[in-house]
Amino acid sequence: MSEAILDCSDLDQYLGKTVESSPIREPLGNTDIRRWVHAMHYPNLVHFDRDYAAQSRWGRLVAPQSFPVAMDESHGTAGACLGRIPDSHLLFAGDEFWHYGPRIFGGDVISNERIAHDYTVKETGFGPTCFQRGDNYYRNQHGELICKQRSTALRYNAAAGGARVDPAQFEEPEWSDDEIEALEARKFTWIKMLHDLGHDERWWDDVAIGDQLPERVFGPHSVASFTTEWRAYLFTIWGTIDRRQIDMEALGFTREMAGHENDPVMERINPELTDGAYYGPSRGHLFPRYARKIGMPRAYGYGASMGSWITDYLAGWAGEHGMVVHSIANYRGPALSGDITIQTAEVTDKSIEEDGRHLVHVKHLMQNQNGVKMCLGTAEIALPVRPG
């Protein structure tokens, strides 16, 4: 298939330009943070338990490092989905994050400056595919830069999406009661690690190259769990943001996948029609019929959630005195309904920066119960050093 079949010529006019904002209307509440960690399967007490958080280094509930993307109406892809590509679909392909230190608390007002970065066209299983990237700069009400996200979207021919679906994967795997019980015990191993570390430091001195981070497991995923994820993104709730006007058909989405998702005018007329859980490009996540039109065999999770799982996994291991400073995530496959997600990571290096910050370098992997790779990448984590 030739590159000419995928017309990306309209994208050039947007590169380097700022995307219209969709700011939140009220300051964040603690329950917005609680809803997020609940949906992301991240049972770290410092993010949802008031009494525990009061004993932390912050003295109050704090949002996880993964939280900024919850406030963007496009999951961080506004700058990676600009310009018309006729008769196309979109999937997440990856995220790169840089974290700068400021944390988010209840009462904060977070803004996001979004800029189209670049694109390239490559051959993939979808045929000619546009890898489009956009940058997000998340700041608080004081103008402090919290983090930068560079998001990558895949845009490909609509016909190619439906043509590559494997009917053999339409049915969800079944888990016996004994398997579920064993899975719950396996999940709790990582949760117990959070409890055991508590408010203490994970010292850089005690980490060695070759160390394996504790395995993190969650699932099986379901339409119910994906719906819980969806509702944790603030923009999915009526009236939470000042929505920009987006014409999905003008972007090249097919009519059945376009609809009125995020339409500020329709939200005041009939808000159900604007809800991506039911209509529009996001409904493929929850309805297998539409998932198969874009190349997925059954209901599947959100790319932005996968990026959050990675940040939470690494930040949870680092503890409240550590911080993920940089991460790269390349998404290779979705979290499908009925599957579980397994996260692992290995320490590949240690370093000391010129400013004295001590870093642990890791490579991380996310896969399902069959060993199918969902995501892989690298990260750098800052940890404290033992006194003296």
Side-chain angles (χ1 to χ4, degrees), residues 174-248:
E174 294 187 6
W175 298 81
S176 69
D177 291 344
D178 288 343
E179 288 173 326
I180 290 294
E181 185 176 352
L183 187 58
E184 291 302 328
R186 190 176 172 190
K187 289 189 215 176
F188 187 70
T189 299
W190 192 78
I191 297 171
K192 185 175 183 300
M193 181 273 296
L194 295 176
H195 295 327
D196 289 345
L197 182 60
H199 299 301
D200 293 338
E201 295 87 352
R202 185 175 300 283
W203 301 111
W204 180 86
D205 316 65
D206 298 339
V207 177
I209 295 173
D211 282 355
Q212 304 293 316
L213 273 62
E215 174 192 71
R216 182 192 185 198
V217 180
F218 49 92
H221 302 288
S222 65
V223 170
S225 69
F226 296 151
T227 303
T228 302
E229 288 177 34
W230 177 251
R231 289 291 175 237
Y233 291 91
L234 298 183
F235 77 90
T236 70
I237 302 169
W238 300 344
T240 52
I241 65 172
D242 286 321
R243 303 183 191 277
R244 63 186 172 117
Q245 188 72 53
I246 309 172
D247 186 339
M248 295 295 184

Side-chain angles (χ1 to χ4, degrees), residues 65-88:
Q65 287 189 250
S66 64
F67 188 73
V69 73
M71 290 164 287
D72 182 78
E73 118 275 302
S74 299
H75 297 207
T77 61
C81 185
L82 284 174
R84 178 176 175 81
I85 301 180
D87 295 319
S88 62

Side-chain angles (χ1 to χ4, degrees), residues 58-318:
W58 298 285
R60 54 177 169 158
L61 284 178
V62 60
Q65 287 189 250
S66 64
F67 188 73
V69 73
M71 290 164 287
D72 182 78
E73 118 275 302
S74 299
H75 297 207
T77 61
C81 185
L82 284 174
R84 178 176 175 81
I85 301 180
D87 295 319
S88 62
H89 291 320
L90 178 147
L91 288 170
F92 271 55
D95 278 309
E96 185 170 8
F97 278 95
W98 295 262
H99 297 272
Y100 300 106
R103 300 300 294 261
I104 297 174
F105 303 92
D108 284 350
V109 177
I110 307 302
S111 63
N112 180 16
E113 181 185 11
R114 308 177 296 189
I115 302 173
H117 184 65
D118 63 9
Y119 74 91
T120 186
V121 177
K122 302 178 182 179
E123 285 289 329
T124 72
F126 291 112
T129 303
C130 177
F131 288 72
Q132 189 173 5
R133 298 194 298 177
D135 291 340
N136 301 269
Y137 296 86
Y138 299 96
R139 295 179 173 88
N140 62 23
Q141 66 272 21
H142 307 297
E144 297 172 318
L145 182 59
I146 298 165
C147 70
K148 172 185 173 181
Q149 173 194 15
R150 176 164 291 167
S151 181
T152 303
L154 291 184
R155 301 178 70 182
Y156 53 94
N157 285 310
R164 72 185 296 272
V165 180
D166 181 4
Q169 296 188 46
F170 284 2
E171 296 298 321
E172 295 182 0
E174 294 187 6
W175 298 81
S176 69
D177 291 344
D178 288 343
E179 288 173 326
I180 290 294
E181 185 176 352
L183 187 58
E184 291 302 328
R186 190 176 172 190
K187 289 189 215 176
F188 187 70
T189 299
W190 192 78
I191 297 171
K192 185 175 183 300
M193 181 273 296
L194 295 176
H195 295 327
D196 289 345
L197 182 60
H199 299 301
D200 293 338
E201 295 87 352
R202 185 175 300 283
W203 301 111
W204 180 86
D205 316 65
D206 298 339
V207 177
I209 295 173
D211 282 355
Q212 304 293 316
L213 273 62
E215 174 192 71
R216 182 192 185 198
V217 180
F218 49 92
H221 302 288
S222 65
V223 170
S225 69
F226 296 151
T227 303
T228 302
E229 288 177 34
W230 177 251
R231 289 291 175 237
Y233 291 91
L234 298 183
F235 77 90
T236 70
I237 302 169
W238 300 344
T240 52
I241 65 172
D242 286 321
R243 303 183 191 277
R244 63 186 172 117
Q245 188 72 53
I246 309 172
D247 186 339
M248 295 295 184
E249 286 194 62
L251 291 172
F253 286 87
T254 59
R255 179 175 292 273
E256 62 186 349
M257 299 300 289
H260 294 280
E261 184 174 326
N262 267 321
D263 184 334
V265 176
M266 183 59 72
E267 184 178 57
R268 295 177 62 86
I269 299 170
N270 186 354
E272 286 197 357
L273 294 181
T274 71
D275 196 323
Y278 312 119
Y279 304 103
S282 295
R283 65 177 168 178
H285 290 283
L286 304 180
F287 295 93
R289 171 188 173 188
Y290 294 100
R292 290 162 192 163
K293 291 181 181 294
I294 63 173
M296 296 295 139
R298 53 188 190 269
Y300 65 102
Y302 301 88
S305 297
M306 290 177 64
S308 299
W309 299 343
I310 293 160
T311 303
D312 293 341
Y313 174 54
L314 301 175
W317 173 80

